[in-house]
Amino acid sequence: MADAFEGASVGEQLVEACRRNNVDLLTEIIQNCKSDDEVSRLLNNTTSVMGNHLYHEAALQGNYEIIDMLLDQHEFECDPINRAEGDTPLHSAIRWINNEPPAQREFGNALVEMMLEAGSSTRVKNKSRLTPYQLVDPRNTGLRELIQKHEYAALNAGDFVAADNNAATSKNNAASAQLDVPADDDESDDDAEFSGSDEEERAEWERRRKAKSSR
């Protein structure tokens, strides 16, 4: 397969594979690497003349199969930033979807869902200070809801962790407070000051004092 690109560098072949959804070419290049670390360096560091990473190139074309393969690689970076717009690949995928006809939205949304599940961030802002969500065509309500649902799930996961920690802290504090409460025994009652406002209370108090002194 690489013979068809004779004279092209490995980087140029990678860019071409990602632009054209050429899974066979990408597979061949990966198999020629000597280690997972070499694969990671090659896939994460290769950029096009325009400053796009391989992930951007694939996302700008909506190439589902090649993206699926990239995301399966060892320590693949999900949120590289390109030079021109400061976009992440998620920004790039949404730009592609916005330019496609409505009939492509279901496929595009499935692509974005895969990227989100693999770890793409919805919070990175590009040079125009826009998050991926803010780039979505308002008419594509399905994609907007998908991104919001993902953000909500991520926020709730953090809330649940915080809630568990707070509950544990409260429980420990309550236990400590319990240990600090002084014992309520008869001796402390005997030593309590008597107000002398009630005859029966006075008699009971004197009885306790006598009983204590006879011990």
Side-chain angles (χ1 to χ4, degrees), residues 92-166:
S92 298
I94 290 170
R95 290 185 190 277
W96 170 75
I97 295 170
N98 288 347
N99 290 323
E100 291 295 304
Q104 278 287 88
R105 287 178 183 170
E106 184 176 354
F107 173 82
N109 294 358
L111 173 63
V112 168
E113 185 170 19
M114 177 176 68
M115 295 171 71
L116 290 172
E117 289 178 353
S120 290
S121 174
T122 61
R123 298 188 170 278
V124 179
K125 294 183 179 181
N126 60 17
K127 291 182 179 180
S128 299
R129 307 298 298 166
L130 296 174
T131 64
Y133 176 83
Q134 292 169 321
L135 273 183
V136 177
D137 185 334
R139 294 170 295 182
N140 192 348
T141 56
L143 182 54
R144 291 168 70 91
E145 290 172 0
L146 172 66
I147 295 174
Q148 284 181 321
K149 181 180 178 181
H150 179 83
E151 289 184 334
Y152 180 75
L155 286 172
N156 272 356
D159 288 343
F160 292 147
V161 171
D164 289 343
N165 290 339
N166 289 339

Side-chain angles (χ1 to χ4, degrees), residues 192-211:
E193 184 178 356
F194 173 65
S195 64
S197 58
D198 185 273
E199 289 299 324
E200 290 183 359
E201 186 179 353
R202 177 188 293 275
E204 177 62 21
W205 179 78
E206 289 182 351
R207 183 190 67 75
R208 290 187 183 184
R209 295 293 292 178
K210 288 178 181 178

Side-chain angles (χ1 to χ4, degrees), residues 60-78:
L60 284 166
Q61 304 299 323
N63 290 337
Y64 189 101
E65 290 79 8
I66 207 83
I67 289 175
D68 189 24
M69 187 174 179
L70 287 172
L71 293 173
D72 281 341
Q73 303 310 309
H74 176 67
E75 293 185 353
F76 185 70
E77 172 59 50
C78 289

